[in-house]
Amino acid sequence: MPATIASGASTTYGDHAESSSRELFGEVALEALDSAGLTPTDLDAVYVGNFMGDLIEDQGHMGPLLADAIGAPETASVRFESACASGGATFRQAVLAIESGAADAVLAGGVELMSLADIEHVTDALANAADEMYENEQGLTFPGIYALMARRYMHEFDVSREDLAAVSVKNHANAVANPLAQFQRELTVEEVVESKPIATPLALYDACPVSDGASAVVVVSEAFAAARDLDPVASVLGTGQSSDALALHDRGSISRTPAAARAAQEAYREAGVTVNDVDVAEVHDCFTIAEVMALEALGAYDPGAGARGAVDGETAVDGSFPVNPSGGLLGKGHPVGATGIGQLVELTKQLRGVHPNQVTDAAVALAHNVGGSGASATVTILGGV
Amino acid sequence: MTVPAWYDTFTDAIAAGEPQCLACAACGDASLPPRQVCPACGSTELTAEPLSGRGTILSFTEISVTTPKFHGETPYTVVMSELDEGVVLSGQLREATAADVAIGEPVVLDTETRADGPALITFRPADAEATDTGDRDDA
Ligand SMILES: [Zn+2]
């Protein structure tokens, strides 16, 4: 049974320290249900993406908490956790439930509250996505692990810090027009390169910010949409998911993300498209190097050539392969569990032609969501309806 | 935190000058403990074998923003090294800073104890005096 997205909603990403997961999630879930013309009791399941609620809010078991918050306490609910890919994984489970025929309507949302903690405790919580003994206990941080990848990549492919910075410059420029984005200021290459070092060769503006936020989509079967006379905002053409060794040192290469490449191939195959058919992409640019590796994993660029995308303007909104017109994680923000769902909300706007950074005639849209340093990856391909 | 026994066994052996890895009887692949299955071929015939403790730098980073555990210790450098036997692991750089090292340079595996938790894995330049300054990746 083919799946479609009936509706989507997202909070602004940024500082919501005065709020809570149940309030943020409730806000977007109820808005999405309302705009689809559905009520909470129409849902067969409530799926929640969240990564660090246990650590920051001291709150686990978020499925029932958040289902109750939206007035569906008896509906089957579960939280999915795949680090920064929690949102993408949550959506994929919703799609699989629809496609299998087990459900007709599933709310797939994500939420994260991060700004409640200071930077060292947020860094500690994010590090839970890595290998505790072999990485965290050696003093590696999440930016530190991506820094190892970045330095190796720059060594293998003769790519400069300025080349990587071009990704941040592009995505921050895109964020300015997006009212949901955390950053509303353009940056120059010089500002990125000369920003405060966090883990060399990566600096502050090579990295996404600490963000709060929530996003939700309502996933329904085509039959349900027809029977209820809904007006879907996107069709789900294909999804893919793959994993890899958790620790970076246990992978064959530290300058590539093969799990994302496998997820992309699976999604392309299911959708019956190639990367050349993709009109717009939202990719997981938690760091500048991550967008470069994402472009290569998706097959849009050969290994070592991904940095050309931003440097040459090919990944700009009006370029040949527009990437992160939302501002991406770098400019829009990265409330971890919400990010993968937020990418889809952005893409439904592209497919409807109403995005603030609209890509001309966007008909096929791709989302790429990665957890940890590449151990979890999901790719989703959406089409217009 | 609770330190798993395998980790103490691994770092105690390094401290004693007799580091060990796992070697696969079927394909020869070397891996880090603990594992029940060879990551290269799926064999379960893994045995403890000696590690030389010598390797080369695959990558490195100087960390300035850290976790509460390492509060007050920044900046420090973490090196990822491939040992001669093929296993790759990360540890903190000692007897040098990030400005002194480059990808491809030789390092030696060691460990040091910490008052507040498990032992740290460390690396030091194999020959600090012979450092080549001509081919630096660190800008
Ligand atoms: Zn083997």
Side-chain angles (χ1 to χ4, degrees):
Chain A
M1 180 60 63
T4 65
I5 298 179
S7 61
S10 188
T11 64
T12 57
Y13 287 181
D15 181 359
H16 292 286
E18 300 301 312
S19 189
S20 63
S21 284
R22 62 184 106 184
E23 290 168 281
L24 288 178
F25 185 89
E27 184 184 318
V28 294
L30 294 174
E31 183 186 336
L33 284 166
D34 186 57
S35 89
L38 298 173
T39 65
T41 51
D42 290 320
L43 297 171
D44 297 311
V46 175
Y47 287 172
V48 177
N50 176 262
F51 176 49
M52 57 175 72
D54 318 68
L55 302 167
I56 303 290
E57 297 180 86
D58 214 7
Q59 180 67 63
H61 209 176
M62 286 233 189
L65 179 83
L66 300 180
D68 181 31
I70 65 167
E74 298 178 9
T75 303
S77 62
V78 65
R79 162 192 167 196
F80 293 95
E81 188 273 301
S82 277
C84 306
S86 296
T90 299
F91 176 76
R92 187 159 190 272
Q93 290 302 314
V95 169
L96 294 178
I98 301 289
E99 289 178 342
S100 74
D104 282 319
V106 180
L107 184 108
V111 62
E112 208 75 58
L113 238 72
M114 301 171 71
S115 68
L116 295 173
D118 65 53
I119 186 63
E120 284 195 350
H121 283 89
V122 168
T123 301
D124 203 25
L126 285 168
N128 267 39
D131 186 309
E132 172 63 13
M133 297 313 300
Y134 277 119
E135 295 183 318
N136 304 339
E137 287 294 331
Q138 310 313 324
L140 273 174
T141 59
F142 204 56
I145 292 171
Y146 269 91
L148 291 175
M149 301 167 87
R151 190 184 303 277
R152 184 72 200 178
Y153 185 96
M154 292 163 70
H155 174 80
E156 289 180 7
F157 299 119
D158 194 25
V159 166
S160 70
R161 284 207 59 210
E162 286 75 12
D163 294 338
L164 294 183
V167 172
S168 187
V169 170
K170 167 182 69 79
N171 292 349
H172 277 85
N174 288 347
V176 171
N178 186 350
L180 299 180
Q182 181 164 359
F183 279 107
Q184 300 286 345
R185 186 171 78 82
E186 295 201 26
L187 294 175
T188 64
V189 167
E190 191 173 37
E191 281 178 292
V192 176
V193 170
E194 292 180 0
S195 60
K196 190 167 89 72
I198 51 174
T200 61
L202 300 178
L204 185 64
Y205 291 138
D206 285 291
C208 63
V210 171
S211 314
D212 308 322
S215 300
V217 292
V218 178
V219 191
V220 300
S221 65
E222 282 185 356
F224 181 87
R228 298 290 297 263
D229 201 23
L230 306 183
D231 186 16
V233 294
S235 58
V236 181
L237 300 182
T239 66
Q241 183 170 3
S242 186
S243 299
D244 210 332
L246 182 64
L248 181 61
H249 60 247
D250 282 331
R251 303 190 203 137
S253 162
I254 67 166
S255 56
R256 297 191 192 187
T257 52
R262 288 189 290 269
Q265 288 308 316
E266 183 182 5
Y268 291 145
R269 201 180 315 120
E270 186 179 319
V273 303
T274 73
V275 67
N276 298 323
D277 298 312
V278 174
D279 298 311
V280 56
E282 289 285 333
V283 310
H284 198 92
D285 59 327
C286 49
F287 299 92
T288 47
I289 181 66
E291 177 165 313
V292 171
M293 293 190 296
L295 297 179
E296 296 171 10
L298 295 175
Y301 289 85
D302 290 333
R308 303 315 306 171
V311 170
D312 293 345
E314 293 170 353
T315 50
V317 174
D318 62 355
S320 54
F321 190 75
V323 173
N324 286 328
S326 71
L329 284 60
L330 288 166
K332 186 191 177 195
H334 182 28
V336 173
T339 293
I341 306 286
Q343 291 175 324
L344 301 173
V345 174
E346 295 288 336
L347 293 176
T348 62
K349 294 177 185 173
Q350 291 286 355
L351 294 169
R352 288 163 56 223
V354 298
H355 196 278
N357 285 318
Q358 182 63 43
V359 170
T360 307
D361 297 332
V364 175
L366 180 150
H368 157 282
N369 192 200
V370 165
S373 54
S376 292
T378 66
V379 170
T380 305
I381 300 173
L382 303 180
V385 286
Chain B
M1 69 169 293
T2 306
V3 181
W6 66 260
Y7 185 80
D8 283 337
T9 301
F10 180 68
T11 51
D12 286 351
I14 298 172
E18 296 173 345
Q20 290 190 320
C21 65
L22 297 174
C24 174
C27 78
D29 187 71
S31 58
L32 292 169
R35 280 187 184 274
Q36 277 100 46
V37 180
C38 171
C41 79
S43 166
T44 54
E45 292 179 69
L46 302 181
T47 56
E49 297 291 340
L51 267 178
S52 68
R54 295 187 163 272
T56 56
I57 296 175
L58 275 181
S59 192
F60 62 98
T61 177
E62 184 179 77
I63 291 177
S64 301
V65 177
T66 188
T67 56
K69 178 186 172 84
F70 294 96
H71 177 84
E73 299 181 23
T74 56
Y76 58 83
T77 296
V78 177
V79 166
M80 179 180 279
S81 170
E82 180 170 15
L83 301 185
D84 292 348
E85 292 76 10
V87 297
V88 177
L89 78 167
S90 298
Q92 290 197 16
L93 182 65
R94 291 294 181 259
E95 298 178 26
T97 69
D100 303 323
V101 297
I103 288 174
E105 290 185 349
V107 287
V108 175
L109 174 68
D110 205 347
T111 186
E112 69 186 35
T113 56
R114 284 179 67 92
D116 60 345
L120 267 184
I121 295 166
T122 64
F123 287 99
R124 60 183 156 78
D127 181 359
E129 322 229 313
T131 306
D132 172 18
T133 55
D135 181 28
R136 288 297 150 78
D137 293 276
D138 191 32

